[in-house]
Amino acid sequence: MTLLESVDLTVLTNLVLSITVVAISIWGYSRIGKPTPLYFGMAYVLFALSHFITLIGMNQLHATALIMMRTAGYVLVAVGLFAIIRDIIGRQQVEQALREKEEHISATFDQTAVGIAEFLPDGRIIRHNVKYGEILGCPDDNLQTVSIWDLITPDEHIVHFEGMNAVIQGDRNEYSGDMLFAQRAGPPVWCRISLSSVRAPEGRPRYFILVLDDISERKRAEEALATLNTGLEGRVAERTRELKDANTALLKEVYQRSFAEDRLKLALTEKEVLLKEIHHRVKNNLQIIISLLFLQAKKNDDPASTSALTDSQTRVKSMALVHEKLYQSTDLGSIDFAGYLQNLVSNLMVTYGADKRRIRVTVLAKDLPLTINTAIPMGLIMNELVSNSLKYAFPEGREGELSIEGHAEGDTMQITVRDNGVGIPESIDWRYTESLGLHLVQMLTRQLRGTIDLSRESGTEFRFIIPVREGR
């Protein structure tokens, strides 16, 4: 082979190598960061070997072998170029995906509802989203030249410095709290902050993420609520004082009333004792009168006078019995009329010598408490009627029954005195009789504002209707 051919082979080899280098530069293969593919190395070896054989004149080798070596070199160069193109395309696809992901993250970063800023350990802000600027009152300004500490009010700086500095120094991973930030234009704004660190592989903080959530509305609501609570607490305290004063006054009044009640109870007790003593003395005085009448009747030989004195005794006894029942009763204002009638009938039967086996007496008058103003007139009325029955209804040892019944009905009490004796003759007008007893019965009934009726069937029956309000 001539020298010209050798030169041509050298130029050809250098040209191929140059094209390879230029292709690598044009297609950006060097940016991939990978070593030159083995294809170019092998192609270079084949080209260099064929060129070396040609130069030393190894004519014993067939030309076809040289052509095959050079053709293989060209193929390897083509394959290498294809590999470069494939790697570059893959790289471009990866970069496109990274750009799209970065755009997505950036859009999310800018459109989030809270303010986010990233700053370095020296406090310089490296980037922030739109909401961060809006919260701090400077949506169009670039805050990257501003230190994070310049945005915090002095008072809040003192309160939160220790916690935030611990995150910046790497002593803790995060810090949160309510903080007052200064706006570029406008009043300070309350934010809920969350500060966290992004650490390098060796563990030291590389940069920090600050999240701001505007809580001004919540703070204003809390202040309004606090003001309302203060007002309510003041009203409650005032009301409590009023209630305390009222309670003190009430306790004082209760004490005074209790003291007055104690004095009243003492006075009532003394009054009850005095009333019992009065009733007891009245009863004793009446008993003296009864004894005098008894002695007078015993010494009197005139039957009519003796009878009159005996009747007087029974009348005084009926009154004395009322006073006796009153001072023996726990209620000084009234007496049990049924118990009174039982004692009255027993005394009258003894006085007139009536045999209980011959004359059977029944008293039915429950739940009829009578005051002294009613008991004495009713006692005298019962005394007269029972005395008349015992003296005149059962002559010559006749047997019979005497009953006294009483009950309340509406605003009245009805009392019936009945016997099955000989009865009052029809010829006697009992309303205008000269009998002192019947005259006394009618007079006392009018005094009680009641009514009296007589029935002569099967003996004698007197029916009384006495107004409760007037008679009790």
Side-chain angles (χ1 to χ4, degrees), residues 428-442:
I428 297 177
D429 186 357
W430 66 277
R431 291 187 181 275
Y432 300 100
T433 181
E434 294 181 358
S435 171
L436 177 61
L438 292 177
H439 181 70
L440 185 61
V441 168
Q442 296 181 68

PDB file of all heavy atoms in Angstrom, residues 428-442:
ATOM      1  N   ILE A 428    -148.802  19.149 125.820  1.00  0.00           N
ATOM      2  CA  ILE A 428    -147.811  20.096 126.312  1.00  0.00           C
ATOM      3  C   ILE A 428    -147.123  20.772 125.115  1.00  0.00           C
ATOM      4  O   ILE A 428    -146.568  20.089 124.238  1.00  0.00           O
ATOM      5  CB  ILE A 428    -146.765  19.410 127.201  1.00  0.00           C
ATOM      6  CG1 ILE A 428    -147.434  18.823 128.456  1.00  0.00           C
ATOM      7  CG2 ILE A 428    -145.657  20.376 127.588  1.00  0.00           C
ATOM      8  CD1 ILE A 428    -146.482  18.062 129.362  1.00  0.00           C
ATOM      9  N   ASP A 429    -147.238  22.086 125.068  1.00  0.00           N
ATOM     10  CA  ASP A 429    -146.499  22.850 124.033  1.00  0.00           C
ATOM     11  C   ASP A 429    -145.108  23.115 124.572  1.00  0.00           C
ATOM     12  O   ASP A 429    -144.900  24.010 125.392  1.00  0.00           O
ATOM     13  CB  ASP A 429    -147.250  24.152 123.742  1.00  0.00           C
ATOM     14  CG  ASP A 429    -146.617  24.915 122.583  1.00  0.00           C
ATOM     15  OD1 ASP A 429    -145.561  24.435 122.052  1.00  0.00           O
ATOM     16  OD2 ASP A 429    -147.121  25.980 122.203  1.00  0.00           O
ATOM     17  N   TRP A 430    -144.173  22.304 124.133  1.00  0.00           N
ATOM     18  CA  TRP A 430    -142.834  22.335 124.724  1.00  0.00           C
ATOM     19  C   TRP A 430    -142.103  23.641 124.482  1.00  0.00           C
ATOM     20  O   TRP A 430    -141.175  23.989 125.214  1.00  0.00           O
ATOM     21  CB  TRP A 430    -142.007  21.161 124.189  1.00  0.00           C
ATOM     22  CG  TRP A 430    -141.707  21.243 122.685  1.00  0.00           C
ATOM     23  CD1 TRP A 430    -142.525  20.864 121.691  1.00  0.00           C
ATOM     24  CD2 TRP A 430    -140.525  21.775 122.110  1.00  0.00           C
ATOM     25  NE1 TRP A 430    -141.954  21.113 120.486  1.00  0.00           N
ATOM     26  CE2 TRP A 430    -140.692  21.668 120.730  1.00  0.00           C
ATOM     27  CE3 TRP A 430    -139.341  22.326 122.620  1.00  0.00           C
ATOM     28  CZ2 TRP A 430    -139.725  22.097 119.836  1.00  0.00           C
ATOM     29  CZ3 TRP A 430    -138.397  22.733 121.727  1.00  0.00           C
ATOM     30  CH2 TRP A 430    -138.560  22.622 120.337  1.00  0.00           C
ATOM     31  N   ARG A 431    -142.529  24.393 123.437  1.00  0.00           N
ATOM     32  CA  ARG A 431    -141.842  25.665 123.157  1.00  0.00           C
ATOM     33  C   ARG A 431    -142.267  26.761 124.151  1.00  0.00           C
ATOM     34  O   ARG A 431    -141.515  27.729 124.338  1.00  0.00           O
ATOM     35  CB  ARG A 431    -142.130  26.124 121.733  1.00  0.00           C
ATOM     36  CG  ARG A 431    -141.468  25.221 120.674  1.00  0.00           C
ATOM     37  CD  ARG A 431    -141.634  25.811 119.277  1.00  0.00           C
ATOM     38  NE  ARG A 431    -141.041  24.959 118.263  1.00  0.00           N
ATOM     39  CZ  ARG A 431    -139.780  24.969 117.897  1.00  0.00           C
ATOM     40  NH1 ARG A 431    -138.958  25.820 118.492  1.00  0.00           N
ATOM     41  NH2 ARG A 431    -139.343  24.150 116.971  1.00  0.00           N
ATOM     42  N   TYR A 432    -143.434  26.606 124.742  1.00  0.00           N
ATOM     43  CA  TYR A 432    -143.906  27.633 125.668  1.00  0.00           C
ATOM     44  C   TYR A 432    -144.221  27.040 127.046  1.00  0.00           C
ATOM     45  O   TYR A 432    -145.063  27.542 127.777  1.00  0.00           O
ATOM     46  CB  TYR A 432    -145.178  28.290 125.102  1.00  0.00           C
ATOM     47  CG  TYR A 432    -144.921  28.955 123.754  1.00  0.00           C
ATOM     48  CD1 TYR A 432    -145.280  28.304 122.583  1.00  0.00           C
ATOM     49  CD2 TYR A 432    -144.321  30.208 123.683  1.00  0.00           C
ATOM     50  CE1 TYR A 432    -145.051  28.888 121.357  1.00  0.00           C
ATOM     51  CE2 TYR A 432    -144.088  30.802 122.455  1.00  0.00           C
ATOM     52  CZ  TYR A 432    -144.450  30.142 121.296  1.00  0.00           C
ATOM     53  OH  TYR A 432    -144.204  30.723 120.081  1.00  0.00           O
ATOM     54  N   THR A 433    -143.496  26.015 127.360  1.00  0.00           N
ATOM     55  CA  THR A 433    -143.720  25.395 128.658  1.00  0.00           C
ATOM     56  C   THR A 433    -143.085  26.217 129.765  1.00  0.00           C
ATOM     57  O   THR A 433    -142.173  27.025 129.533  1.00  0.00           O
ATOM     58  CB  THR A 433    -143.132  23.964 128.658  1.00  0.00           C
ATOM     59  OG1 THR A 433    -143.396  23.360 129.938  1.00  0.00           O
ATOM     60  CG2 THR A 433    -141.659  23.996 128.422  1.00  0.00           C
ATOM     61  N   GLU A 434    -143.598  25.988 130.983  1.00  0.00           N
ATOM     62  CA  GLU A 434    -143.027  26.695 132.136  1.00  0.00           C
ATOM     63  C   GLU A 434    -141.790  25.994 132.673  1.00  0.00           C
ATOM     64  O   GLU A 434    -141.162  26.462 133.619  1.00  0.00           O
ATOM     65  CB  GLU A 434    -144.078  26.780 133.252  1.00  0.00           C
ATOM     66  CG  GLU A 434    -145.268  27.639 132.868  1.00  0.00           C
ATOM     67  CD  GLU A 434    -146.273  27.725 133.991  1.00  0.00           C
ATOM     68  OE1 GLU A 434    -146.030  27.062 135.044  1.00  0.00           O
ATOM     69  OE2 GLU A 434    -147.271  28.423 133.845  1.00  0.00           O
ATOM     70  N   SER A 435    -141.436  24.844 132.033  1.00  0.00           N
ATOM     71  CA  SER A 435    -140.255  24.095 132.476  1.00  0.00           C
ATOM     72  C   SER A 435    -138.988  24.915 132.245  1.00  0.00           C
ATOM     73  O   SER A 435    -138.741  25.390 131.122  1.00  0.00           O
ATOM     74  CB  SER A 435    -140.158  22.765 131.715  1.00  0.00           C
ATOM     75  OG  SER A 435    -138.908  22.135 131.985  1.00  0.00           O
ATOM     76  N   LEU A 436    -138.229  25.101 133.326  1.00  0.00           N
ATOM     77  CA  LEU A 436    -136.971  25.856 133.198  1.00  0.00           C
ATOM     78  C   LEU A 436    -135.991  25.148 132.284  1.00  0.00           C
ATOM     79  O   LEU A 436    -135.267  25.785 131.513  1.00  0.00           O
ATOM     80  CB  LEU A 436    -136.352  26.049 134.591  1.00  0.00           C
ATOM     81  CG  LEU A 436    -135.002  26.759 134.610  1.00  0.00           C
ATOM     82  CD1 LEU A 436    -135.126  28.175 134.034  1.00  0.00           C
ATOM     83  CD2 LEU A 436    -134.443  26.788 136.035  1.00  0.00           C
ATOM     84  N   GLY A 437    -135.982  23.833 132.350  1.00  0.00           N
ATOM     85  CA  GLY A 437    -135.026  23.074 131.543  1.00  0.00           C
ATOM     86  C   GLY A 437    -135.236  23.284 130.058  1.00  0.00           C
ATOM     87  O   GLY A 437    -134.305  23.580 129.311  1.00  0.00           O
ATOM     88  N   LEU A 438    -136.521  23.080 129.574  1.00  0.00           N
ATOM     89  CA  LEU A 438    -136.788  23.253 128.148  1.00  0.00           C
ATOM     90  C   LEU A 438    -136.615  24.705 127.722  1.00  0.00           C
ATOM     91  O   LEU A 438    -136.191  24.984 126.593  1.00  0.00           O
ATOM     92  CB  LEU A 438    -138.202  22.759 127.827  1.00  0.00           C
ATOM     93  CG  LEU A 438    -138.432  21.247 127.955  1.00  0.00           C
ATOM     94  CD1 LEU A 438    -139.891  20.888 127.674  1.00  0.00           C
ATOM     95  CD2 LEU A 438    -137.505  20.489 127.014  1.00  0.00           C
ATOM     96  N   HIS A 439    -136.990  25.616 128.587  1.00  0.00           N
ATOM     97  CA  HIS A 439    -136.778  27.027 128.274  1.00  0.00           C
ATOM     98  C   HIS A 439    -135.286  27.328 128.113  1.00  0.00           C
ATOM     99  O   HIS A 439    -134.873  28.073 127.206  1.00  0.00           O
ATOM    100  CB  HIS A 439    -137.377  27.885 129.391  1.00  0.00           C
ATOM    101  CG  HIS A 439    -137.233  29.354 129.138  1.00  0.00           C
ATOM    102  ND1 HIS A 439    -137.923  30.031 128.146  1.00  0.00           N
ATOM    103  CD2 HIS A 439    -136.435  30.277 129.765  1.00  0.00           C
ATOM    104  CE1 HIS A 439    -137.567  31.298 128.169  1.00  0.00           C
ATOM    105  NE2 HIS A 439    -136.667  31.485 129.148  1.00  0.00           N
ATOM    106  N   LEU A 440    -134.457  26.720 128.985  1.00  0.00           N
ATOM    107  CA  LEU A 440    -133.008  26.910 128.910  1.00  0.00           C
ATOM    108  C   LEU A 440    -132.447  26.297 127.619  1.00  0.00           C
ATOM    109  O   LEU A 440    -131.564  26.871 126.983  1.00  0.00           O
ATOM    110  CB  LEU A 440    -132.349  26.279 130.139  1.00  0.00           C
ATOM    111  CG  LEU A 440    -130.839  26.473 130.294  1.00  0.00           C
ATOM    112  CD1 LEU A 440    -130.509  27.958 130.402  1.00  0.00           C
ATOM    113  CD2 LEU A 440    -130.320  25.719 131.520  1.00  0.00           C
ATOM    114  N   VAL A 441    -132.990  25.127 127.205  1.00  0.00           N
ATOM    115  CA  VAL A 441    -132.546  24.478 125.964  1.00  0.00           C
ATOM    116  C   VAL A 441    -132.794  25.393 124.770  1.00  0.00           C
ATOM    117  O   VAL A 441    -131.929  25.569 123.900  1.00  0.00           O
ATOM    118  CB  VAL A 441    -133.251  23.121 125.785  1.00  0.00           C
ATOM    119  CG1 VAL A 441    -133.032  22.582 124.372  1.00  0.00           C
ATOM    120  CG2 VAL A 441    -132.751  22.131 126.823  1.00  0.00           C
ATOM    121  N   GLN A 442    -133.993  25.970 124.665  1.00  0.00           N
ATOM    122  CA  GLN A 442    -134.317  26.842 123.535  1.00  0.00           C
ATOM    123  C   GLN A 442    -133.458  28.106 123.553  1.00  0.00           C
ATOM    124  O   GLN A 442    -132.987  28.568 122.507  1.00  0.00           O
ATOM    125  CB  GLN A 442    -135.805  27.216 123.587  1.00  0.00           C
ATOM    126  CG  GLN A 442    -136.720  26.010 123.412  1.00  0.00           C
ATOM    127  CD  GLN A 442    -138.190  26.408 123.450  1.00  0.00           C
ATOM    128  OE1 GLN A 442    -138.678  27.087 122.531  1.00  0.00           O
ATOM    129  NE2 GLN A 442    -138.883  26.009 124.508  1.00  0.00           N
TER     130      GLN A 442
END
